[in-house]
Amino acid sequence: MDIVLYEEVLFVYLFVRLPLVFAFSVAALGMEFLRSRLFGGRFYKPFLLNIILAWIPLLLSLAAYLVFLRTGFRETWLTIGLLAIWFVFFPNAIYLITEVHHFRDRFADEAQDPFWFDNIEILSIVGVGLLLGSYSLAIIQFLLINHVSLAMSWLLLIGYVFLANVGIYIGRYIRFNSWDVFTRPLPLAKRLGNELKRPGTAKTLVGYASLFSFFILMFYLFIHVTLSNLYNLGLVIKNLQGTSLQ
């Protein structure tokens, strides 16, 4: 693989789209604000916090990417440090997908918002989570293929996405946050151990993490295929340019 060419393709692909993803994030929040204003319901404030948290892993992966582009392998420790923080915070991106859970409570809300409005809002929130998570994974896979084979990068990515969805399950149903890994590691481990002892919990956790991982990786695969096609097109153009110069 021509790493330099792939780096250029990824750089252009992402930085053209980041302003659009930011606008999409603002639009998703705007839908919730409009709902509260137009239909008299309550504004669900955790949406704001969760969208901010969803941007953190993308910003961390971008920082690691830019550090690597600037320093190469000279500052590996800094890249690894950023990736370690990313490792903990990445579940916040795809956690947005589970916000659909809160729409169950809309029947108890006093708002009279139409069903179609809620559908658009749900799609917006899920879309933001998938895009932020997938773009972050694309950057991480680029960093991985600078150190391991493409096949190994896929194995590491699949394994990590599964672990990330285990983290989402812990956040959604056991009610711990990403920063609890640093601030409350022992209570987190104890509570998780107690939960896993309950009949059926381990099976539910594995099923949840497996199905969500499949869904997220299938979406990411569309982005990866697009990047691969652009890379292959770049290779063809580069070879044609080389041939014409000869």
Side-chain angles (χ1 to χ4, degrees), residues 67 69 89 161 215 232 239:
V67 166
L69 292 185
F89 277 91
V161 169
F215 174 66
N232 291 330
N239 291 333

Side-chain angles (χ1 to χ4, degrees), residues 7 16 49 54 61 75 82 107 113 192 202 230 234:
E7 167 200 312
V16 167
L49 175 62
S61 59
E75 300 289 348
L82 289 167
F107 293 106
D113 50 321
L192 181 59
L230 290 172

Side-chain angles (χ1 to χ4, degrees), residues 141-212:
Q141 189 166 29
F142 166 76
L143 294 173
L144 285 173
I145 60 178
N146 280 276
H147 299 82
V148 300
S149 66
L150 182 61
M152 180 58 69
S153 75
W154 272 110
L155 288 174
L156 291 172
L157 213 64
I158 291 169
Y160 175 67
V161 169
F162 180 83
L163 288 177
N165 279 288
V166 171
I168 292 172
Y169 182 91
I170 293 170
R172 173 58 68 192
Y173 297 105
I174 306 180
R175 309 308 298 169
F176 279 90
N177 298 307
S178 296
W179 48 86
D180 289 325
V181 172
F182 302 106
T183 60
R184 303 170 60 201
L186 293 179
L188 190 157
K190 183 178 179 180
R191 176 70 185 280
L192 181 59
N194 291 335
E195 288 290 329
L196 290 176
K197 291 177 183 177
R198 296 172 57 187
T201 300
K203 186 177 179 180
T204 301
L205 181 110
V206 171
Y208 177 97
S210 299
L211 288 174
F212 266 87

Side-chain angles (χ1 to χ4, degrees), residues 29-241:
L29 273 176
M31 290 292 294
E32 179 64 14
F33 179 78
L34 279 175
R35 177 185 175 275
S36 64
R37 291 292 181 179
L38 294 176
F39 306 111
R42 68 186 189 279
F43 179 77
Y44 184 65
K45 293 180 181 178
F47 275 158
L48 176 60
L49 175 62
N50 288 338
I51 284 182
I52 292 172
L53 289 174
W55 271 88
I56 290 177
L58 179 58
L59 295 176
L60 286 168
S61 59
L62 280 171
Y65 174 67
L66 293 174
V67 166
F68 180 78
L69 292 185
R70 186 177 179 83
T71 65
F73 295 98
R74 296 193 307 276
E75 300 289 348
T76 303
W77 63 272
L78 182 55
T79 304
I80 292 173
L82 289 167
L83 292 180
I85 302 171
W86 173 89
F87 185 91
V88 174
F89 277 91
F90 173 75
N92 288 296
I94 50 180
Y95 184 85
L96 275 181
I97 300 170
T98 68
E99 291 292 0
V100 175
H101 168 85
H102 291 286
F103 283 81
R104 291 180 178 179
D105 303 329
R106 292 297 167 97
F107 293 106
D109 202 325
E110 294 179 357
Q112 298 298 316
D113 50 321
F115 183 68
W116 60 263
F117 191 93
D118 277 354
N119 276 339
I120 295 172
E121 187 175 351
I122 289 171
L123 289 172
S124 300
I125 293 163
V126 171
V128 169
L130 286 171
L131 287 172
L132 290 175
S134 295
Y135 289 161
S136 184
L137 288 174
I139 295 170
I140 297 304
Q141 189 166 29
F142 166 76
L143 294 173
L144 285 173
I145 60 178
N146 280 276
H147 299 82
V148 300
S149 66
L150 182 61
M152 180 58 69
S153 75
W154 272 110
L155 288 174
L156 291 172
L157 213 64
I158 291 169
Y160 175 67
V161 169
F162 180 83
L163 288 177
N165 279 288
V166 171
I168 292 172
Y169 182 91
I170 293 170
R172 173 58 68 192
Y173 297 105
I174 306 180
R175 309 308 298 169
F176 279 90
N177 298 307
S178 296
W179 48 86
D180 289 325
V181 172
F182 302 106
T183 60
R184 303 170 60 201
L186 293 179
L188 190 157
K190 183 178 179 180
R191 176 70 185 280
L192 181 59
N194 291 335
E195 288 290 329
L196 290 176
K197 291 177 183 177
R198 296 172 57 187
T201 300
K203 186 177 179 180
T204 301
L205 181 110
V206 171
Y208 177 97
S210 299
L211 288 174
F212 266 87
S213 296
F214 175 78
F215 174 66
I216 291 158
L217 287 167
M218 286 302 296
F219 186 88
Y220 171 66
L221 194 58
F222 283 103
I223 291 174
H224 179 78
V225 167
T226 302
L227 284 169
S228 296
N229 289 338
L230 290 172
Y231 168 77
N232 291 330
L233 179 61
L235 274 181
V236 171
I237 294 171
K238 189 176 181 179
N239 291 333
L240 288 174
Q241 288 174 339

